[in-house]
Amino acid sequence: MFTSTSFPAFTGCALFLAFAVLPAAQAAPRVERLDLPRTGGEASLTQAQDVSDTGTVVAGYRFQLVESGMRQTAFRWTAHDGLQSLPALPGGGTTGAQAVSADGSVIVGFSDGQDHSGRGFRSHAVRWNARGAAHDLGALAGGDDTAATGVSSHGVVIVGYGKDHRGQRRALLWRDGMPAMDLGTLGGLAAIATDVSRDGDTAVGGARDASGRTRAFLWVRAHGMRDLGALADKDHAMALAVSASGDAVVGYCAEAIQEWGASNMAELKGFIWLRATGSMREIVNNLGGTWTQPLGVADGGSVVVGVAQDARGDTHAFRWTPTEGMRVESTLPQALRMQYARGLSSDGRFSVGRLAHDNGAFRADWR
């Protein structure tokens, strides 16, 4: 799964509140902090990005203050071993993990390292195996600056983006060790892929059309790329996540998207698209705020998680269902208040993200 805060080329995601209490029938989730609490004036942030279907493996990244400044490092967390850093490619030092396979065996993301032409350092799409070894996925011929954002159930298919020989960003797919495949566009010059289904046959993201608009796309192996459209009052859209079964897509619509991030966060409207209806509907912000950004979706669109703003301008994690709408869990201790939620298991049981208290990472179990 993709989040714009991880990559310098994309504008950051904002985050949400308003204490909408869950119905009494739904118990509060069990929330577990994955990293150690901060001490003293330590400057650090730990962001959990994705979770395996069993909830036993979590992938993400952390920023830590080192002698030379802030350093970003990818991590794998398991219930047995806790949080462990993942290595960079040879010569590199900056890494970020974006997604983990449903079985927990493969983590994908990026690492800096020597570019493919040997001219300097660039971002490289990376696959880390169960032993933590990093493998460079490669780039398009003559291209560079790649990153991986999504992975199929067993790690066979990986999606992401990279620049082509003209310097245009392109949506990429890597299948079972084969060279990077360009997924195309909607008539424009650029695209990025943000997530992929369990079987690797469905990918989503954003692509430019012939008029220069960014549009949410659905790519299916047998049929190629199609435009999912946009909500009625918006011209631009970005798909951020697809369900494991490929039957539901979430993302946001905006008046303008520049450098693959909305130019005005205050205008974002979240959407969910269902294959069963072939149409897009708004995920309504009932917290009184002006924007919503869904970041994860369970099979059938049964559960959506993300971030949104409330009437006071605060941001908190939300959990949305078709029957209950958008809810915020307000019964947790302050130290475990969830500010940013994304990675979601296929059944909607586990979600991960970042805490509001001191930017620690969490895993939530909703059963």
Side-chain angles (χ1 to χ4, degrees):
M1 295 186 181
F2 164 83
T3 181
S4 54
T5 51
S6 310
F7 305 113
F10 303 92
T11 57
C13 298
L15 301 150
F16 110 99
L17 179 146
F19 294 105
V21 180
L22 290 169
Q26 183 171 348
R30 295 190 297 276
V31 178
E32 176 181 6
R33 182 174 183 138
L34 304 184
D35 60 328
L36 295 175
R38 310 288 178 250
T39 59
E42 178 185 4
S44 184
L45 175 151
T46 307
Q47 172 69 51
Q49 289 288 87
D50 201 11
V51 60
S52 65
D53 255 7
T54 60
T56 56
V57 181
V58 176
Y61 58 88
R62 53 185 171 174
F63 287 97
Q64 292 179 297
L65 185 62
V66 297
E67 194 170 307
S68 58
M70 294 296 290
R71 172 176 291 177
Q72 183 176 356
T73 306
F75 72 79
R76 180 203 310 268
W77 176 93
T78 67
H80 181 266
D81 297 322
L83 192 149
Q84 296 183 324
S85 296
L86 294 170
L89 294 171
T94 298
T95 56
Q98 289 298 301
V100 60
S101 58
D103 65 3
S105 64
V106 172
I107 290 174
V108 301
F110 69 92
S111 169
D112 62 351
Q114 196 76 21
D115 74 9
H116 297 98
S117 67
R119 293 189 301 268
F121 276 77
R122 297 287 189 274
S123 172
H124 296 247
V126 169
R127 177 188 191 271
W128 288 278
N129 63 22
R131 298 184 301 277
H135 172 70
D136 188 343
L137 295 174
L140 294 172
D144 56 22
D145 272 346
T146 58
T149 56
V151 59
S152 65
S153 181
H154 301 295
V156 174
V157 177
I158 298 167
V159 298
Y161 61 85
K163 291 182 179 178
D164 63 13
H165 66 282
R166 300 167 297 176
Q168 294 290 341
R169 205 169 292 276
R170 308 291 290 191
L172 303 181
L173 182 147
W174 296 267
R175 185 182 299 275
D176 200 18
M178 300 295 289
M181 171 184 171
D182 189 335
L183 298 184
T185 71
L186 294 170
L189 295 177
I192 65 168
T194 56
D195 200 11
V196 67
S197 62
R198 178 191 295 116
D199 61 8
D201 286 346
T202 302
V204 299
R208 305 283 196 225
D209 66 11
S211 66
R213 299 178 303 176
T214 299
R215 307 288 283 185
F217 75 74
L218 179 78
W219 178 93
V220 178
R221 186 179 184 184
H223 304 292
M225 186 180 291
R226 60 170 288 194
D227 186 342
L228 293 181
L231 296 172
D233 58 343
K234 305 294 182 185
D235 287 330
H236 297 255
M238 174 74 73
L240 297 177
V242 62
S243 62
S245 57
D247 60 359
V249 179
V250 295
Y252 64 84
C253 296
E255 289 297 330
I257 295 178
Q258 299 172 356
E259 289 300 311
W260 305 106
S263 58
N264 182 6
M265 288 296 296
E267 67 182 21
L268 296 191
K269 286 189 175 181
F271 75 78
I272 181 168
W273 178 94
L274 298 177
R275 190 187 300 275
T277 62
S279 62
M280 182 183 291
R281 62 177 281 197
E282 183 179 355
I283 294 180
V284 176
N285 183 333
N286 58 12
L287 308 174
T290 62
W291 64 265
T292 304
Q293 191 170 54
L295 293 165
V297 59
D299 284 346
S302 58
V303 177
V304 175
V305 296
V307 294
Q309 183 190 56
D310 78 340
R312 293 187 295 184
D314 294 321
T315 56
H316 281 231
F318 74 79
R319 180 179 171 92
W320 176 95
T321 67
T323 55
E324 300 291 344
M326 183 180 290
R327 303 289 179 182
V328 173
E329 177 52 60
S330 61
T331 61
L332 295 167
Q334 182 69 13
L336 294 177
R337 184 170 67 83
M338 299 175 287
Q339 185 177 47
Y340 178 99
R342 49 164 301 130
L344 190 64
S345 58
S346 62
D347 61 359
R349 174 178 175 178
F350 296 101
S351 62
V352 297
R354 187 171 71 242
L355 297 169
H357 177 59
D358 63 355
N359 291 322
F362 75 83
R363 182 191 67 164
D365 184 348
W366 292 85
R367 290 186 186 171

